[in-house]
Amino acid sequence: MKNILVIYTGGTIGMVKDTKSGALRPFDMKKIYEVLPILRKLDCNIDTFQFDPIIDSSDMNAKVWLSLAKKIKQEYDNYDGFVILHGTDTMSYTASCLSFLLENLNKPVIITGSQLPLGMIRTDGRDNIISSIEIASNNSVLIPEVCIFFGNKLFRGNRTTKLNAEYFEAFYSGNYPSLAKVGINISYKQHLISSCQNKSLKVYDNLCQDVVIVKVCPTIQESFLSAIINIPNLKGIVLETYGSGNAPTNDYFLCSIEKAIKKGITVMNVTQCKAGSVEMGHYEASCGLMNLGVISGKDITTEAALTKMMFVLGNYKDKKEQIEKLKENLRGEISI
Ligand code: ASP
């Protein structure tokens, strides 16, 4: 029998109705079998761990990501798989960050949550938890990746983005197909799932927090860029550009980016589009950025770009090596 650790960080999924007041409140993870007795029918042992405090995922931050990675490191030999219950708002950031922090992962780490609290009749949380645990404890298909399970689909976590605040199919992976679909059966797409590494797990314990996302928009002005570039200690900018990596071509914009790069700030170009890739040099509007040494994020999501920068700038000291790592496909986050 497989052993699965369910880690509860917070979010909508964990809300149940107080039997006396009827109000929604976070549930006690130790009572998971009381809340979901059907879990006893799964062919695995389930242990639980609850973060203290549990948080709305809007409060997610680098410290919690490092604690999550540390917890997985501590429990790695005791369990066959991990299921993390998490709010949906920043789930894609967490999945992306964990994928970078956990190198040579040979066990499934599946993050799930819900749009409706577990304590509500039509909750999607029930199915999401059950399927996530079933996938994490599968005896024939091993998924050695950090994934998100949501809306009957298993995704590579660092390829996802939250797309819908209303419907149960909340997550989208525009540049990489889902790894499995749940219907009457669970159909796995083996050729899309990473293969196991013949190396032991390496868990990193550093993240650089001095990184921002700057979204290019028609009102962008020199003074805005200048304020950002002058943020003390800023180390990295994820520049969300239009389409295939295009940005304003006027002098002030390019000069500002040049100033940033000269100050030692690493700049990565990612697209605002939910699918497709940055192709610097395709239009004149991206040639300038390319010539200044802006790194192409290719088809990376903004969530993965931010956390990749946090990871690379936090764990590699040499500038040349940082740039190489940012260009490299580290955990399946970009298509080569
Ligand atoms: N605000 C909640 C959170 O992200 C929403 C959710 O769980 O879906 O924690």
Side-chain angles (χ1 to χ4, degrees):
M1 241 201 212
K2 295 242 173 159
N3 292 314
I4 303 298
L5 182 65
V6 179
I7 301 172
Y8 176 38
T9 64
T12 296
I13 189 162
M15 299 297 198
V16 286
K17 263 196 187 145
D18 187 284
T19 38
K20 283 183 197 138
S21 67
L24 286 168
R25 53 160 181 77
F27 85 128
D28 177 1
M29 261 312 265
K30 287 190 210 99
K31 297 189 178 145
I32 194 167
Y33 281 116
E34 267 171 53
V35 180
L36 282 175
I38 195 136
L39 290 178
R40 291 187 204 282
K41 299 206 169 170
L42 289 175
D43 191 23
C44 60
N45 294 316
I46 301 169
D47 286 336
T48 60
F49 175 79
Q50 182 161 327
F51 264 68
D52 184 19
I54 51 165
I55 53 169
D56 184 292
S57 82
S58 319
D59 286 321
M60 194 47 72
N61 56 48
K63 203 171 149 222
V64 184
W65 288 334
L66 292 170
S67 311
L68 263 172
K70 192 172 163 200
K71 184 71 190 165
I72 290 171
K73 181 182 177 179
Q74 283 165 349
E75 302 289 359
Y76 196 68
D77 293 335
N78 301 330
Y79 292 94
D80 301 294
F82 301 85
V83 171
I84 300 173
L85 307 185
H86 193 289
T88 56
D89 289 342
T90 55
M91 194 183 281
S92 293
Y93 288 95
T94 297
S96 302
C97 192
L98 278 184
S99 77
F100 297 118
L101 291 175
L102 306 173
E103 190 173 289
N104 305 326
L105 188 65
N106 277 325
K107 297 182 179 183
V109 174
I110 301 181
I111 310 179
T112 195
S114 68
Q115 295 281 58
L116 271 181
L118 208 50
M120 293 187 67
I121 294 175
R122 283 191 302 102
T123 182
D124 50 330
R126 184 179 173 278
D127 286 353
N128 285 346
I129 295 184
I130 294 168
S131 298
S132 297
I133 297 176
E134 196 173 341
I135 292 169
S137 59
N138 188 301
N139 279 317
S140 42
V141 184
L142 176 68
I143 307 193
E145 298 205 28
V146 178
C147 299
I148 283 186
F149 182 83
F150 221 93
N152 289 324
K153 284 187 185 153
L154 183 74
F155 300 104
R156 175 169 296 163
N158 60 28
R159 291 295 195 140
T160 62
T161 202
K162 183 176 176 184
L163 197 68
N164 204 308
E166 161 86 20
Y167 293 109
F168 290 160
E169 288 77 30
F171 287 86
Y172 180 67
S173 171
N175 286 328
Y176 201 75
S178 58
L179 307 179
K181 276 189 192 162
V182 173
I184 291 176
N185 298 304
I186 302 181
S187 54
Y188 293 93
K189 294 178 223 156
Q190 194 74 68
H191 62 289
L192 296 171
I193 300 168
S194 301
S195 22
C196 274
Q197 304 294 314
N198 212 358
K199 294 177 188 157
S200 42
L201 177 76
K202 177 166 182 190
V203 180
Y204 290 81
D205 54 11
N206 264 314
L207 286 170
C208 168
Q209 297 199 59
D210 302 308
V211 179
V212 287
I213 298 169
V214 176
K215 184 167 185 156
V216 172
C217 62
T219 57
I220 201 148
Q221 292 170 35
E222 188 169 11
S223 56
F224 299 176
L225 285 173
S226 151
I228 292 166
I229 290 160
N230 287 316
I231 295 171
N233 272 328
L234 187 70
K235 306 266 179 346
I237 297 176
V238 173
L239 189 67
E240 262 204 1
T241 57
Y242 305 125
S244 55
N246 305 314
T249 53
N250 50 45
D251 285 348
Y252 90 78
F253 190 88
L254 291 173
C255 277
S256 305
I257 300 298
E258 188 176 13
K259 260 189 221 153
I261 292 177
K262 283 203 174 133
K263 272 187 86 178
I265 299 170
T266 306
V267 185
M268 186 192 271
N269 186 356
V270 306
T271 176
Q272 294 176 14
C273 298
K274 297 296 168 219
S277 182
V278 161
E279 277 181 62
M280 287 204 290
H282 191 56
Y283 289 98
E284 212 188 316
S286 63
C287 284
L289 293 179
M290 187 171 72
N291 296 336
L292 291 176
V294 170
I295 298 165
S296 170
K298 299 180 188 152
D299 63 348
I300 200 165
T301 61
T302 300
E303 292 87 338
L306 183 82
T307 52
K308 187 176 185 175
M309 261 205 186
M310 293 172 75
F311 167 70
V312 169
L313 303 187
N315 290 288
Y316 300 90
K317 298 290 161 243
D318 177 59
K319 186 87 186 165
K320 221 173 120 206
E321 196 181 7
Q322 287 176 349
I323 292 173
E324 269 165 28
K325 288 284 168 195
L326 286 169
K327 287 181 176 170
E328 218 177 280
N329 177 20
L330 299 178
R331 310 279 189 270
E333 74 282 4
I334 49 174
S335 316
I336 317 170

